[in-house]
Amino acid sequence: MLDVSRVQKELVEIKRDEKLSGVSIEISEGDLTRMRGTIGGPHGTPYEGGVFIVDIQLPSAYPFEPPKMQFVTKVWHPNISSQNGAICLDILKDQWSPALTLKTALLSLQALLSTPEPDDPQDAVVAQQYLRDYATFMGTARYWTESFAKRGALGIKEKLVKLVEMGFSEDTARVALENCGGDENAALEKLCGG
Amino acid sequence: MMEGRSRVLCKFFMHGACLKGVDCQFSHNWSDQSSQVCTFYQRGLCSYGARCRYEHVKVSRLTQPLATPVPVPRHLPAAISLTSTVDSSSRATVIAKPSLAHLKDAWQQNSTESLANGVSAISLGEADEPEALSNDPSDRPICAFAAAGNCPLGESCRNIHGDLCTTCGKHCLHPYRPLDRENHKIQCERNKKNLEALLKSQDIECSICLERVLSKPTVAERKFGLMSGCDHPFCVGCIRGWRSGSHAPGMDIDTVVRACPVCRVPTHYVVPSVVWYFSPEEKEEIINGYKNKLGEVDCRHFDYGNGTCPFGTSCFYKHAFKDGTLEEVKLRHLGAADGNTVIVKNVRLSDFLKL
């Protein structure tokens, strides 16, 4: 049986210092066992500035069994599968302890991003690149962060292209989007109205 | 009121139904005191202990009030006829009819052995009125009303109004029973200490369910699990659930499951306790108390010598045979080639047979 009251306490605790810790969680509606965690890319790493989304599934025996976590956002990292986002981290497997929480697990993931362990890899290709050609690894990791983990920036570009395709000039479309805080529909209304 | 009766109030009559009616040996008079003394305690074995509803007092103090009820069937007829009131002697013959031989014995005893005995019986029988009981103040019980703060009878109360106990704030120290006073004080101190420990334990949270252990919904859940290896608090239910539950494959029993979830220090056993501790001595006291309590319970695995206990010499439960003798443990030591000594566990023939 899932310990509902413990999960709720954890969620409150995460919410309390969301800004300071750089990790947050939102639950899917009506289902306490399914959540999405977000991790801010740590400073001084190729993941800096990115926001990484983690799919979290709580087993019914939680907290006596570890939560199942997997990256939804694509990440280039020796301990994270570049194919499906599977994570290789001991505390999510055989070193789990019921005193750990969702917050500490997410913080551990954040720490994993800043300290890769290429000797115990999840993705052999990435690990090999990390060990043999560190510069290329850094470049790829940074590029993947730019492409997949900065959805906000990418979104604006896509929306701009959309608006330009509708027949508005690029400059006016950008101004409208900026004024509406990136909201595509509000920008369209503004453009049509004005 | 029959003189043939004891002056101890019949407990069946007290509860409203004595089947013996007028033939009852015990008193059916409300002014008589009931025997609130635990006879098992006097014989040295009351299994209710402190929870017993009867008074636990030593034999010496009771000799007076309790002298009569036991020897009643043999002695009373004799004693009564000696008092020679017509009414009671006729009554005595009625009672004595079934056991005439005994009556004779009693007569002979009284007359031949010592007349003084008989006389003392008479004097006891006549002088020992309820008022006489209260002559010795140490025989009078504490007044419960006064102990609680207010006795409606005031000065005229038959029971003793106790002195104030500074610990519990009740007037419940018997002025004439020094032993009881001491016992009460010790008990009171212990209660106070327990209460304080309980209050301090209120805020302690379990690191697994993240709730206050003493605020859990059911009483059974409001117990700490003390770790023998470290000082991290858990509910006993949570920590036992973690240690005995199913675990992910690859989890190491000794370094992960049997370790403290917070600090990962290995812990061999978990001790349940209703209060948390705040010093190593208190922890020791709780653990020793627990071990002593378990040591009184017979081990299920050992089963009076019929079974084998997997915990062997480290078992907390009692390993005793049916006749009460304790198991003698002979450890077999083997000197290994490197000079170290190994303790040999039970060796079975089947271990050497390859099937």
Side-chain angles (χ1 to χ4, degrees):
Chain A
M1 255 271 307
L2 183 72
D3 189 344
V4 176
S5 85
R6 158 153 170 164
V7 175
Q8 279 166 344
K9 269 178 199 272
E10 283 192 38
L11 292 175
V12 170
E13 172 63 22
I14 290 175
K15 199 101 198 150
R16 209 171 52 81
D17 65 354
E18 205 174 76
K19 290 217 171 69
L20 211 72
S21 63
V23 298
S24 65
I25 274 189
E26 50 190 271
I27 52 168
S28 2
E29 267 173 51
D31 187 5
L32 259 184
T33 64
R34 213 56 212 237
M35 309 176 184
R36 282 167 95 85
T38 50
I39 302 170
H43 297 289
T45 67
Y47 312 103
E48 185 174 344
V51 174
F52 299 88
I53 294 175
V54 181
D55 179 61
I56 304 170
Q57 259 190 72
L58 298 185
S60 60
Y62 181 84
F64 295 115
E65 279 177 20
K68 292 189 175 70
M69 291 192 174
Q70 200 166 5
F71 273 92
V72 174
T73 313
K74 282 170 88 85
V75 192
W76 192 253
H77 186 286
N79 305 107
I80 299 161
S81 166
S82 58
Q83 303 299 311
N84 58 13
I87 305 163
C88 174
L89 185 62
D90 59 354
I91 63 147
L92 292 179
K93 297 193 170 78
D94 57 355
Q95 291 293 311
W96 169 255
S97 139
L100 293 169
T101 61
L102 293 172
K103 183 182 165 186
T104 52
L106 286 177
L107 288 174
S108 301
L109 286 184
Q110 203 176 31
L112 181 71
L113 287 180
S114 44
T115 52
E117 291 280 351
D119 296 330
D120 183 19
Q122 171 76 29
D123 193 309
V125 177
V126 185
Q128 223 161 33
Q129 194 190 54
Y130 182 93
L131 291 171
R132 290 188 184 161
D133 189 355
Y134 187 69
T136 317
F137 164 79
M138 289 295 275
T140 319
R142 205 171 288 128
Y143 177 72
W144 276 44
T145 306
E146 291 295 328
S147 323
F148 304 115
K150 296 190 176 173
R151 300 213 309 180
L154 209 72
I156 292 279
K157 212 178 269 175
E158 275 174 356
K159 285 169 196 166
L160 196 62
V161 172
K162 238 180 181 175
L163 290 175
V164 172
E165 274 172 3
M166 286 177 188
F168 300 105
S169 80
E170 200 178 320
D171 285 338
T172 48
R174 182 177 289 127
V175 170
L177 267 174
E178 270 167 15
N179 286 342
C180 299
D183 189 338
E184 167 191 4
N185 290 326
L188 188 61
E189 262 182 39
K190 196 168 181 161
L191 286 169
C192 293
Chain B
M1 169 71 206
M2 320 307 162
E3 286 191 43
R5 284 182 173 176
S6 155
R7 278 167 308 277
V8 175
L9 187 62
C10 169
K11 63 178 170 183
F12 296 102
F13 176 72
M14 254 170 77
H15 293 141
C18 177
L19 291 175
K20 293 191 177 165
V22 287
D23 292 332
C24 181
Q25 290 170 3
F26 293 91
S27 163
H28 283 189
N29 185 342
W30 283 109
S31 63
D32 285 341
Q33 272 195 340
S34 65
S35 168
Q36 295 289 2
V37 177
C38 174
T39 52
F40 292 95
Y41 177 77
Q42 289 185 314
R43 277 181 258 156
L45 36 90
C46 175
S47 53
Y48 288 102
R51 289 180 296 126
C52 182
R53 66 168 87 177
Y54 294 97
E55 269 184 50
H56 278 186
V57 283
K58 292 275 181 302
V59 188
S60 59
R61 200 186 305 129
L62 292 169
T63 40
Q64 255 193 324
L66 261 199
T68 33
V70 186
V72 158
R74 279 173 65 105
H75 272 280
L76 259 179
I80 289 156
S81 33
L82 273 176
T83 54
S84 74
T85 48
V86 184
D87 191 25
S88 64
S89 58
S90 64
R91 173 101 206 142
T93 47
V94 173
I95 296 172
K97 253 180 194 167
S99 55
L100 213 65
H102 281 299
L103 186 60
K104 251 185 186 161
D105 281 354
W107 268 113
Q108 276 162 1
Q109 268 178 13
N110 272 341
S111 52
T112 52
E113 282 177 15
S114 70
L115 199 67
N117 240 352
V119 172
S120 73
I122 303 165
S123 62
L124 242 177
E126 286 186 335
D128 216 347
E129 293 299 321
E131 289 78 39
L133 265 179
S134 51
N135 277 348
D136 184 358
S138 71
D139 280 336
R140 288 194 289 161
I142 282 275
C143 170
F145 292 104
N150 184 27
C151 175
L153 296 175
E155 291 294 311
S156 61
C157 180
R158 281 173 44 137
N159 294 333
I160 292 275
H161 285 186
D163 296 334
L164 182 72
C165 167
T166 47
T167 318
C168 65
K170 285 181 183 165
H171 291 269
C172 53
L173 292 179
H174 202 295
Y176 303 101
R177 293 182 192 171
L179 198 70
D180 284 10
R181 281 176 84 101
E182 279 313 302
N183 284 344
H184 174 84
K185 275 183 187 163
I186 293 168
Q187 189 69 37
C188 232
E189 284 294 329
R190 199 179 298 148
N191 285 350
K192 195 183 167 195
K193 227 173 98 185
N194 280 349
L195 206 67
E196 277 172 1
L198 209 60
L199 271 177
K200 278 200 282 183
S201 313
Q202 288 294 333
D203 290 335
I204 292 189
E205 278 180 9
C206 166
S207 303
I208 294 180
C209 63
L210 308 179
E211 285 178 45
R212 288 182 187 178
V213 178
L214 296 180
S215 307
K216 301 279 279 187
T218 66
V219 182
E221 292 173 288
R222 291 178 209 146
K223 257 188 195 169
F224 294 96
L226 272 55
M227 307 290 277
S228 63
C230 67
D231 296 326
H232 291 110
F234 303 97
C235 309
V236 71
C238 286
I239 189 66
R240 282 193 171 154
W242 165 243
R243 288 166 75 92
S244 62
S246 61
H247 299 101
M251 264 191 190
D252 189 76
I253 297 288
D254 288 326
T255 57
V256 178
V257 179
R258 296 275 182 268
C260 167
V262 178
C263 65
R264 306 230 186 231
V265 168
T267 276
H268 298 297
Y269 52 90
V270 174
V271 172
S273 166
V274 281
V275 292
W276 188 243
Y277 58 89
F278 297 91
S279 70
E281 294 79 33
E282 284 175 16
K283 181 180 182 183
E284 184 111 358
E285 199 184 316
I286 294 172
I287 291 180
N288 286 340
Y290 177 67
K291 282 186 185 170
N292 290 340
K293 215 159 73 186
L294 289 195
E296 292 166 8
V297 181
D298 284 299
C299 175
R300 254 188 330 161
H301 301 294
F302 186 71
D303 191 20
Y304 303 106
N306 297 328
T308 42
C309 173
F311 303 100
T313 48
S314 348
C315 184
F316 288 170
Y317 290 93
K318 187 161 86 177
H319 284 191
F321 297 99
K322 275 258 160 61
D323 60 1
T325 52
L326 291 176
E327 177 197 30
E328 267 186 57
V329 188
K330 288 187 201 123
L331 290 179
R332 288 180 60 195
H333 296 270
L334 275 189
D338 54 3
N340 290 330
T341 314
V342 189
I343 295 174
V344 187
K345 292 195 176 159
N346 279 346
V347 186
R348 290 162 196 245
L349 182 60
S350 57
D351 296 340
F352 298 98
L353 297 172
K354 279 183 186 160
L355 296 173

